mmCIF file of all heavy atoms in Angstrom:
data_model
loop_
_atom_site.group_PDB
_atom_site.id
_atom_site.type_symbol
_atom_site.label_atom_id
_atom_site.label_comp_id
_atom_site.label_asym_id
_atom_site.label_seq_id
_atom_site.Cartn_x
_atom_site.Cartn_y
_atom_site.Cartn_z
ATOM 1 N N GLU A 218 99.147 51.554 120.176
ATOM 2 C CA GLU A 218 100.211 50.635 120.579
ATOM 3 C C GLU A 218 101.570 51.077 120.050
ATOM 4 O O GLU A 218 102.559 51.055 120.756
ATOM 5 C CB GLU A 218 99.871 49.212 120.096
ATOM 6 C CG GLU A 218 98.774 48.579 120.961
ATOM 7 C CD GLU A 218 97.805 47.723 120.156
ATOM 8 O OE1 GLU A 218 98.186 47.220 119.079
ATOM 9 O OE2 GLU A 218 96.646 47.570 120.601
ATOM 10 N N ARG A 223 107.913 56.532 108.410
ATOM 11 C CA ARG A 223 108.735 56.098 107.280
ATOM 12 C C ARG A 223 108.972 57.250 106.335
ATOM 13 O O ARG A 223 108.078 58.078 106.114
ATOM 14 C CB ARG A 223 108.014 55.018 106.462
ATOM 15 C CG ARG A 223 107.840 53.678 107.132
ATOM 16 C CD ARG A 223 107.169 52.730 106.138
ATOM 17 N NE ARG A 223 107.010 51.385 106.663
ATOM 18 C CZ ARG A 223 106.030 51.007 107.471
ATOM 19 N NH1 ARG A 223 105.112 51.881 107.849
ATOM 20 N NH2 ARG A 223 105.950 49.767 107.907
ATOM 21 N N ARG A 251 99.233 52.290 114.912
ATOM 22 C CA ARG A 251 98.700 50.937 115.121
ATOM 23 C C ARG A 251 97.956 50.820 116.448
ATOM 24 O O ARG A 251 98.458 51.273 117.487
ATOM 25 C CB ARG A 251 99.840 49.910 115.109
ATOM 26 C CG ARG A 251 100.537 49.815 113.759
ATOM 27 C CD ARG A 251 101.719 48.875 113.855
ATOM 28 N NE ARG A 251 102.378 48.718 112.544
ATOM 29 C CZ ARG A 251 103.593 48.215 112.389
ATOM 30 N NH1 ARG A 251 104.295 47.826 113.445
ATOM 31 N NH2 ARG A 251 104.117 48.099 111.184
ATOM 32 N N ALA A 292 98.167 61.412 125.808
ATOM 33 C CA ALA A 292 96.786 61.913 125.800
ATOM 34 C C ALA A 292 95.785 60.835 126.199
ATOM 35 O O ALA A 292 95.968 59.661 125.896
ATOM 36 C CB ALA A 292 96.445 62.473 124.419
ATOM 37 N N ARG A 296 91.755 60.399 119.614
ATOM 38 C CA ARG A 296 91.118 60.459 118.303
ATOM 39 C C ARG A 296 91.603 61.663 117.498
ATOM 40 O O ARG A 296 92.045 62.675 118.073
ATOM 41 C CB ARG A 296 89.602 60.538 118.470
ATOM 42 C CG ARG A 296 88.974 59.176 118.773
ATOM 43 C CD ARG A 296 87.517 59.309 119.062
ATOM 44 N NE ARG A 296 87.309 60.166 120.238
ATOM 45 C CZ ARG A 296 86.120 60.635 120.613
ATOM 46 N NH1 ARG A 296 85.049 60.355 119.912
ATOM 47 N NH2 ARG A 296 86.015 61.389 121.694
ATOM 48 N N MET A 312 101.969 70.678 108.825
ATOM 49 C CA MET A 312 102.050 69.492 107.955
ATOM 50 C C MET A 312 102.464 68.255 108.755
ATOM 51 O O MET A 312 101.985 67.142 108.495
ATOM 52 C CB MET A 312 103.004 69.749 106.798
ATOM 53 C CG MET A 312 102.441 70.773 105.815
ATOM 54 S SD MET A 312 103.663 71.281 104.613
ATOM 55 C CE MET A 312 102.626 72.288 103.528
ATOM 56 N N LEU A 333 85.914 56.652 105.566
ATOM 57 C CA LEU A 333 86.492 57.884 106.115
ATOM 58 C C LEU A 333 85.652 59.108 105.749
ATOM 59 O O LEU A 333 85.414 59.985 106.572
ATOM 60 C CB LEU A 333 87.935 58.033 105.596
ATOM 61 C CG LEU A 333 88.682 59.312 105.976
ATOM 62 C CD1 LEU A 333 88.788 59.465 107.492
ATOM 63 C CD2 LEU A 333 90.087 59.303 105.346
ATOM 64 N N GLY A 347 90.227 68.372 88.643
ATOM 65 C CA GLY A 347 90.981 69.234 87.744
ATOM 66 C C GLY A 347 92.428 68.784 87.752
ATOM 67 O O GLY A 347 92.789 67.846 88.475
ATOM 68 N N LEU A 359 103.501 72.622 76.669
ATOM 69 C CA LEU A 359 102.334 72.970 77.481
ATOM 70 C C LEU A 359 101.039 72.614 76.755
ATOM 71 O O LEU A 359 100.124 72.018 77.346
ATOM 72 C CB LEU A 359 102.336 74.466 77.828
ATOM 73 C CG LEU A 359 101.085 74.903 78.605
ATOM 74 C CD1 LEU A 359 101.157 74.428 80.054
ATOM 75 C CD2 LEU A 359 100.885 76.413 78.567
ATOM 76 N N MET A 386 101.296 82.574 77.412
ATOM 77 C CA MET A 386 100.807 81.224 77.634
ATOM 78 C C MET A 386 99.283 81.196 77.679
ATOM 79 O O MET A 386 98.644 80.367 77.029
ATOM 80 C CB MET A 386 101.389 80.725 78.960
ATOM 81 C CG MET A 386 100.663 79.552 79.502
ATOM 82 S SD MET A 386 101.156 79.078 81.147
ATOM 83 C CE MET A 386 100.682 80.442 82.157
ATOM 84 N N SER A 400 92.290 78.152 85.127
ATOM 85 C CA SER A 400 92.707 79.025 86.227
ATOM 86 C C SER A 400 94.227 79.056 86.260
ATOM 87 O O SER A 400 94.880 78.357 85.475
ATOM 88 C CB SER A 400 92.125 78.532 87.557
ATOM 89 O OG SER A 400 92.774 77.355 87.968
ATOM 90 N N HIS A 414 99.658 94.695 85.342
ATOM 91 C CA HIS A 414 99.923 93.458 84.620
ATOM 92 C C HIS A 414 98.876 92.393 84.974
ATOM 93 O O HIS A 414 98.326 91.739 84.095
ATOM 94 C CB HIS A 414 101.331 92.987 84.965
ATOM 95 C CG HIS A 414 101.747 91.712 84.299
ATOM 96 N ND1 HIS A 414 101.919 91.622 82.934
ATOM 97 C CD2 HIS A 414 102.002 90.480 84.812
ATOM 98 C CE1 HIS A 414 102.261 90.367 82.642
ATOM 99 N NE2 HIS A 414 102.329 89.656 83.755
ATOM 100 N N HIS A 422 89.427 85.438 81.133
ATOM 101 C CA HIS A 422 88.278 84.837 81.835
ATOM 102 C C HIS A 422 88.677 83.603 82.640
ATOM 103 O O HIS A 422 88.124 82.519 82.462
ATOM 104 C CB HIS A 422 87.148 84.514 80.846
ATOM 105 C CG HIS A 422 86.710 85.724 80.097
ATOM 106 N ND1 HIS A 422 85.966 86.726 80.677
ATOM 107 C CD2 HIS A 422 86.970 86.142 78.836
ATOM 108 C CE1 HIS A 422 85.763 87.690 79.810
ATOM 109 N NE2 HIS A 422 86.363 87.376 78.675
ATOM 110 N N CYS A 450 92.009 83.407 94.569
ATOM 111 C CA CYS A 450 91.882 82.254 95.455
ATOM 112 C C CYS A 450 93.123 82.236 96.329
ATOM 113 O O CYS A 450 94.240 82.359 95.824
ATOM 114 C CB CYS A 450 91.807 80.962 94.636
ATOM 115 S SG CYS A 450 91.932 79.459 95.645
ATOM 116 N N THR A 461 90.850 82.286 107.537
ATOM 117 C CA THR A 461 89.752 82.223 106.573
ATOM 118 C C THR A 461 88.769 83.355 106.830
ATOM 119 O O THR A 461 88.353 84.059 105.900
ATOM 120 C CB THR A 461 89.041 80.854 106.701
ATOM 121 O OG1 THR A 461 90.020 79.830 106.521
ATOM 122 C CG2 THR A 461 87.925 80.705 105.687
ATOM 123 N N THR A 493 83.451 78.703 105.520
ATOM 124 C CA THR A 493 83.269 79.223 104.152
ATOM 125 C C THR A 493 81.847 78.957 103.671
ATOM 126 O O THR A 493 81.240 79.806 103.029
ATOM 127 C CB THR A 493 84.266 78.575 103.161
ATOM 128 O OG1 THR A 493 84.174 77.148 103.266
ATOM 129 C CG2 THR A 493 85.688 79.026 103.426
ATOM 130 N N PRO A 499 83.015 79.513 97.953
ATOM 131 C CA PRO A 499 83.291 78.136 97.531
ATOM 132 C C PRO A 499 84.734 77.720 97.821
ATOM 133 O O PRO A 499 85.636 78.564 97.848
ATOM 134 C CB PRO A 499 83.042 78.164 96.017
ATOM 135 C CG PRO A 499 83.135 79.592 95.616
ATOM 136 C CD PRO A 499 82.820 80.428 96.820
ATOM 137 N N ILE A 516 90.517 62.856 98.640
ATOM 138 C CA ILE A 516 89.245 62.414 98.054
ATOM 139 C C ILE A 516 88.147 62.454 99.124
ATOM 140 O O ILE A 516 87.068 63.012 98.909
ATOM 141 C CB ILE A 516 89.378 60.993 97.455
ATOM 142 C CG1 ILE A 516 90.317 61.017 96.250
ATOM 143 C CG2 ILE A 516 88.003 60.429 97.065
ATOM 144 C CD1 ILE A 516 90.739 59.639 95.744
ATOM 145 N N SER A 533 96.386 58.805 90.093
ATOM 146 C CA SER A 533 97.717 58.360 90.522
ATOM 147 C C SER A 533 98.706 58.356 89.358
ATOM 148 O O SER A 533 99.875 58.721 89.505
ATOM 149 C CB SER A 533 97.652 56.926 91.061
ATOM 150 O OG SER A 533 96.834 56.833 92.183
#
Side-chain angles (χ1 to χ4, degrees):
E218 285 143 25
R223 291 183 177 81
R251 295 175 177 164
R296 281 174 299 169
M312 291 170 173
L333 176 59
L359 176 75
M386 163 188 65
S400 72
H414 180 66
H422 303 287
C450 170
T461 304
T493 53
I516 293 169
S533 298

